[in-house]
Amino acid sequence: GEAERALVAEEWNRTEAEVPADRCIHELFESQTARTPDAAAVSFEEESLTYAELNARANRLAHHLRGHGVGPEVRVGVLMERSLEMVVSLLAILKAGGAYVPLDPGLPTERLAYMLDDSGVPLVLTQAALRESVPAREGVAVLAVDDAAEEIAAESAENLAGGVGPDSLAYVIYTSGSTGRPKGVMNAHRGVVNRLVWMQAQFGIGADDVVLQKTPFGFDVSVWEFFWPLQQGAGLVMARPDGHRDPAYLRDVIEREGVTTLHFVPSMLQTFVEAVEAGCCASLRNVVCSGEALPPALVDRFYDRFTGPVVLTNLYGPTEAAVDVSFWTCPRDESAGVVPIGRPVWNTALYVLDASLKPVPVGVPGELYIGGVQVARGYLGRAAMTAERFVPDPFSAEGGARLYRTGDRARWRADGAIEYLGRLDFQVKVRGFRIELGEIEAALRQAPGVRDCTVVVRDDESGDRRLVAYVVGAVEADALRDRLRQSLPEYMVPAAFVSLDALPLTANGKLDRKALPAPEGDAYARRSYESPLGEVEVALAEIWSELLGVEQVGRRDNFFELGGHSLLAIRLIERMRRVGLYMEVRALFTTPVLAELALAVGRASSEVAVPANAIPEGAGSITPEMLPLVELSQAEIDRIVAGVPGGAANVQDIYPLAPLQEGILFHHLMSQEGDPYLLSMVTEFDTRARLDQYLAALQAVIDRHDVLRTAVAWEGLREPVQVVWRHAPLPVLEVEVDAGPGAAQQLWERHDPRHYRIDLGQAPLLQACIAEDRASGRWLLLMLRHHLTNDHESLEVLQEEVSAHLLGRESELPAPLPFRDYVARARLGVSQEEHERFFRGMLGDIDEPTAP
């Protein structure tokens, strides 16, 4: 509705605030230096600099860099350990007008070399002890700032003027890439300044505050750790190299330096909280978390451990935006539910959108998009990737405004906060089911005694993929398994539970999945063998053994734990039919244990029973029990219904795709441009009246046949389904073409299937494009039909029925055949072997072309 759309798209994104529009990051530091020149600015181990000393050293290096050609948009690499030189170098690069590119000395040489080549830096700043760690690249100069100390000291200590503005590039930080190669994200001063000014308004640090800089500078959290305290007169303490990994060291430096503010990745905060004693670190006022989902139980333990006036804040933001874009102040009773990522920061907008970039209602999952001043420029040297992830902002009136599509799944809460639900692309497929691991982890974190957890997919010795849960906490695996079965379907319950003292972490404090140990035999569910009882159990055991390749099947064995999956389930139904045993596929998913399944098996005729449509007209809601041919959770049904105009009242049926339709959908999704299964045909009419009569008759035919009122849904579902609408108006698009003999060709070229696609989520999968040929006065109709619901055979039926309506003979038409009957027989009545045998026979005389 319009009111809710205005709420989620406008009201909750009213974040306008006054921010210095003409200032750069280093200029805010220079202003603070003028106010408090003698105050302590930065310290590292036994060294320290005042604001005036830090500014002077940075200015001298900046003038030196200008002599090396550093200016606006020039990228400069920085390969250094955490130190005073690092802070000086970052400020100097910005002052010279350049942008810094962090190069972590702990990275492999090959990766560093790639980053140097990809970033195109002409110069790398380093320390003498690390000079040999800089890969030699042609055209890249290396400057060890400590070796050149005397030369740099001779430069001017005055602030540099001109050459850089708020829209100039400030830094390029590399993130992991889907291709296995890191990609550089470009951020400008304006977005970072907005983020830092907001942070000051939110937390309000001053001269009495001390911020601990411990995040590796190759991660964007370090940006606010470096520059925020130096813009506010606070003290900046640099942790020693690798100190961020040691809880005991962090505790000591917090207490010794009186640290009031610092950042943790949640997994590292978990380790820190467990390692320190209650009552320590009394100086803390603000602890900030970001980078991973924050477990509610960790919030409770944090407040139990640190009893002073400290506040825990959950922040969220990808590298593709200037650090963080949302915040949530964690109350002391956060364990009541999921910790949200909160609300947008100043001058930032957050949208939860569907696949068509339309806002979804409150509570409905969608993809999270970021708009506003903090959106990054894009990826360095990757125009195509930038265009894919940074899209035009349909909600902004500002020219050129863009949204960043995060790939994160989220939803609005009723209070205007956003909940993070996991990655859209962090899905796995196990036993034929597409699974969001974050959903299992969220359920585990709600279990009493679980302090932390993660779930991964591992291949066992037989090659079968199994879900394995790693749990930190005193809790029995059987208790967890039973608890999960109360809220999750069987296929989402991990096969093994491994107890750990703590989750392994990378050097950056994030979960190290590669270091998770392989589960031992006792981690898996143990089922003692019991011989099958009775004729049905024995028959099922023999079929399971043959189908699953298992030598011995007992009556307490679980079909899916033995390696079964949804495709094998279809084969199982067919094998059972051969010996006179019949059941619905649903029974296998609800009762996968052999003995229980045997009770659900019946005997019937050899005909495949096709359940009647169970969704009554006018139904206010749809439940899983109404869908006899497909397994869907209530959440999946709600997701499907949300995409149908008119909601549940406009849904006639939901059932799976036939095998051939699955192949068509696969190729549609694989296509980068156009659609290989979009069919087109141009028809000519002598008058607009005749065209309108034809379109009216075509709509009548659509109203008759369920397959012509069918859309396809797959986003966020375990398997794709087709959704029959009760009412599906034919979309008619009127366009203009140039008059003359080429009018029909123009119409076709505008909708050439090699470049044109239609939305498969909207019924009908037909589209009418009409145009007047003004030279002849005739009208043209381009009919686009998708092969998912329309082929040559059905086109002939469609044309015959349109003709019958035009001739007034519609009463003579036979009753339409339900397409669901065909789907049921295609999935249940014919085995995969029979499908393959048929097509191998049909294609047996075809020679496959050899690859070039």
Side-chain angles (χ1 to χ4, degrees):
E2 286 302 316
E4 189 173 15
R5 184 188 185 284
L7 183 68
V8 300
E10 300 172 17
E11 183 63 30
W12 286 343
N13 280 317
R14 296 195 191 284
T15 60
E16 300 84 358
E18 286 290 334
V19 172
D22 58 344
R23 307 300 299 279
C24 294
I25 298 169
H26 58 280
E27 290 173 338
L28 295 178
F29 162 68
E30 291 169 353
S31 297
Q32 183 60 46
T33 298
R35 291 191 292 269
T36 58
D38 298 326
V42 58
S43 65
F44 172 72
E45 300 290 284
E46 302 301 321
E47 302 177 276
S48 65
L49 294 172
T50 66
Y51 273 82
E53 291 169 338
L54 175 59
N55 190 52
R57 284 185 56 175
N59 284 339
R60 291 189 175 98
L61 179 55
H63 282 287
H64 194 71
L65 294 178
R66 282 274 179 93
H68 281 75
V70 177
E73 303 300 314
V74 175
R75 298 176 289 277
V76 180
V78 181
L79 193 149
M80 292 184 177
E81 297 282 10
R82 195 178 290 116
S83 58
L84 295 184
E85 287 87 358
M86 177 183 280
V87 181
V88 170
S89 297
L90 299 183
L91 281 169
I93 293 170
L94 297 180
K95 283 169 171 281
Y100 70 88
V101 181
L103 303 168
D104 192 323
L107 292 175
T109 302
E110 180 181 346
R111 190 177 182 91
L112 288 172
Y114 170 82
M115 292 167 67
L116 288 175
D117 293 341
D118 187 73
S119 63
V121 299
L123 176 67
V124 174
L125 301 185
T126 188
Q127 296 154 311
L130 295 173
R131 177 186 283 274
E132 298 304 316
S133 299
V134 182
R137 316 307 289 176
E138 185 176 354
V140 179
V142 179
L143 174 64
V145 294
D146 43 356
D147 276 353
E150 290 187 11
E151 186 178 355
I152 295 171
E155 299 281 3
S156 170
E158 296 300 315
N159 292 337
L160 286 76
V164 63
D167 294 317
S168 297
L169 188 65
Y171 62 80
V172 177
I173 287 182
Y174 277 78
T175 66
S176 60
S178 59
T179 61
R181 292 289 194 178
K183 54 185 184 292
V185 180
M186 302 181 289
N187 272 288
H189 285 261
R190 188 185 302 277
V192 180
V193 168
N194 182 84
R195 167 63 177 72
L196 297 179
V197 174
W198 165 82
M199 198 168 194
Q200 177 61 18
Q202 179 68 23
F203 297 99
I205 61 172
D208 295 334
D209 284 282
V210 176
V211 176
L212 180 62
Q213 200 290 303
K214 68 180 189 65
T215 302
F217 75 146
F219 293 83
D220 63 347
V221 167
S222 66
V223 173
W224 69 255
E225 288 180 335
F226 283 121
F227 302 120
W228 176 41
L230 295 178
Q231 294 173 356
Q232 304 302 330
L236 174 63
V237 172
M238 303 291 288
R240 71 186 184 199
D242 291 330
H244 59 282
R245 306 179 188 180
D246 185 349
Y249 166 77
L250 292 177
R251 177 200 60 209
D252 291 345
V253 75
I254 290 170
E255 295 191 330
R256 182 178 66 250
E257 302 290 345
V259 171
T260 62
T261 304
L262 78 163
H263 171 272
F264 281 104
V265 173
S267 48
M268 185 58 194
L269 178 62
Q270 174 72 49
T271 302
F272 182 72
V273 168
E274 296 296 331
V276 301
E277 64 278 4
C280 73
C281 304
S283 62
L284 288 177
R285 300 178 193 171
N286 295 297
V287 174
V288 177
C289 270
S290 66
E292 295 173 344
L294 179 59
L298 177 55
V299 176
D300 275 354
R301 282 200 303 282
F302 173 87
Y303 282 125
D304 287 342
R305 184 70 70 192
F306 305 108
T307 56
V310 64
V311 174
L312 181 64
T313 303
N314 192 32
L315 301 180
Y316 164 87
T319 308
E320 288 82 354
V323 197
D324 304 296
V325 295
S326 73
F327 70 103
W328 177 258
T329 303
C330 299
R332 293 181 177 267
D333 59 348
E334 192 68 89
S335 59
V338 175
V339 181
I341 60 175
R343 302 178 176 88
V345 304
W346 284 1
N347 301 307
T348 298
L350 299 178
Y351 302 99
V352 183
L353 308 178
D354 62 17
S356 301
L357 267 66
K358 298 293 192 300
V360 298
V362 173
V364 175
E367 183 172 2
L368 183 60
Y369 286 72
I370 301 169
V373 68
Q374 290 184 203
V375 174
R377 283 191 188 178
Y379 300 113
L380 177 64
R382 288 169 171 78
M385 185 181 294
T386 298
E388 177 186 352
R389 304 301 297 183
F390 294 83
V391 299
D393 185 350
F395 306 97
S396 175
E398 181 181 343
R402 298 170 305 148
L403 297 177
Y404 171 67
R405 49 180 308 183
T406 66
D408 288 333
R409 192 164 172 262
R411 65 184 172 202
W412 286 106
R413 299 198 323 185
D415 61 357
I418 291 177
E419 286 184 355
Y420 170 81
L421 302 177
R423 287 290 298 171
L424 287 168
D425 56 4
F426 194 56
Q427 294 178 331
V428 296
K429 202 165 188 180
V430 179
R431 299 172 185 157
F433 291 97
R434 195 171 298 278
I435 297 171
E436 182 71 48
L437 297 179
E439 185 177 354
I440 306 174
E441 293 172 352
L444 277 172
R445 289 192 177 99
Q446 298 299 318
V450 174
R451 300 200 301 273
D452 205 357
C453 68
T454 191
V455 179
V456 301
V457 176
R458 302 189 74 110
D459 294 337
D460 63 14
E461 295 179 357
S462 66
D464 186 27
R465 307 190 79 206
R466 293 177 180 266
L467 291 170
V468 179
Y470 294 87
V471 179
V472 178
V475 60
E476 294 292 332
D478 288 343
L480 284 177
R481 189 177 287 111
D482 291 341
R483 181 182 178 89
L484 292 184
R485 283 183 173 138
Q486 295 175 15
S487 59
L488 299 177
E490 184 68 27
Y491 65 85
M492 292 184 69
V493 177
F497 291 81
V498 179
S499 179
L500 299 176
D501 293 330
L503 295 179
L505 304 177
T506 67
N508 303 316
K510 293 193 174 184
L511 176 66
D512 187 357
R513 296 181 182 276
K514 294 181 179 179
L516 293 169
E520 301 292 341
D522 58 356
Y524 290 93
R526 308 291 295 181
R527 296 179 182 271
S528 57
Y529 176 75
E530 293 184 31
S531 299
L533 301 177
E535 182 181 352
V536 175
E537 287 189 16
V538 170
L540 284 176
E542 291 176 354
I543 296 172
W544 285 24
S545 178
E546 177 188 357
L547 193 63
L548 302 174
V550 178
E551 183 176 350
Q552 188 180 64
V553 177
R555 66 191 309 264
R556 297 301 175 190
D557 281 326
N558 184 299
F559 180 79
F560 298 109
E561 291 179 359
L562 294 180
H565 49 69
S566 59
L567 296 179
L568 286 176
I570 302 301
R571 296 186 190 180
L572 173 63
I573 300 300
E574 194 275 333
R575 297 280 181 92
M576 292 172 58
R577 181 174 63 85
R578 294 179 188 176
V579 297
L581 300 177
Y582 298 89
M583 70 174 187
E584 295 182 12
V585 178
R586 175 186 298 274
L588 179 61
F589 292 103
T590 56
T591 54
V593 175
L594 187 138
E596 299 170 1
L597 182 65
L599 299 176
V601 171
R603 297 182 178 274
S605 67
S606 60
E607 288 296 317
V608 176
V610 180
N613 180 12
I615 303 179
E617 187 168 2
S621 60
I622 300 171
T623 64
E625 291 71 24
M626 295 181 179
L627 309 176
L629 288 182
V630 65
E631 282 284 332
L632 292 173
S633 67
Q634 188 62 56
E636 289 175 308
I637 293 172
D638 293 342
R639 185 185 184 94
I640 292 169
V641 170
V644 179
N650 196 28
V651 177
Q652 178 180 315
D653 210 346
I654 302 174
Y655 43 81
L657 274 63
L660 290 179
Q661 288 178 304
E662 292 178 334
I664 293 171
L665 178 61
F666 173 83
H667 287 109
H668 170 84
L669 297 176
M670 286 289 289
S671 301
Q672 297 298 314
E673 183 180 11
D675 192 329
Y677 288 102
L678 187 59
L679 315 175
S680 62
M681 178 180 66
V682 177
T683 310
E684 192 176 73
F685 296 81
D686 56 358
T687 66
R688 175 62 187 264
R690 284 183 182 250
L691 170 60
D692 290 341
Q693 290 173 349
Y694 181 90
L695 294 175
L698 180 58
Q699 183 66 59
V701 176
I702 293 172
D703 294 341
R704 267 174 49 81
H705 293 279
D706 54 4
V707 71
L708 297 181
R709 289 179 277 106
T710 293
V712 181
W714 64 87
E715 293 284 352
L717 308 181
R718 288 166 286 171
E719 64 173 308
V721 295
Q722 43 196 328
V723 186
V724 182
W725 296 9
R726 297 187 189 278
H727 307 288
L730 173 70
V732 179
L733 308 177
E734 185 170 347
V735 298
E736 291 186 2
V737 296
D738 296 332
Q745 182 69 15
Q746 294 174 47
L747 184 61
W748 184 86
E749 287 177 352
R750 291 188 185 184
H751 305 85
D752 184 349
R754 291 174 297 182
H755 311 292
Y756 190 80
R757 294 165 76 91
I758 64 174
D759 185 357
L760 300 188
Q762 299 294 306
L765 300 189
L766 301 98
Q767 190 176 97
C769 302
I770 64 175
E772 181 184 14
D773 181 0
R774 292 186 298 275
S776 64
R778 301 172 75 85
W779 281 81
L780 303 172
L781 165 66
L782 171 68
M783 180 59 63
L784 296 168
R785 303 170 291 115
H786 203 279
H787 201 29
L788 269 168
T789 60
N790 204 281
D791 58 12
H792 182 78
E793 189 83 6
S794 59
L795 175 61
E796 291 185 354
V797 174
L798 185 148
Q799 295 288 54
E800 289 173 3
E801 293 202 7
V802 167
S803 297
H805 279 273
L806 290 173
L807 296 172
R809 297 176 180 173
E810 62 268 26
S811 61
E812 301 174 10
L813 295 173
L817 296 174
F819 189 66
R820 72 186 336 270
D821 289 14
Y822 167 76
V823 172
R825 286 178 169 82
R827 292 179 67 94
L828 303 180
V830 183
S831 70
Q832 183 172 338
E833 291 86 352
E834 288 173 281
H835 274 293
E836 290 184 2
R837 189 160 52 247
F838 171 82
F839 283 104
R840 289 186 186 279
M842 294 291 290
L843 303 174
D845 59 347
I846 303 298
D847 292 328
E848 289 282 343
T850 57

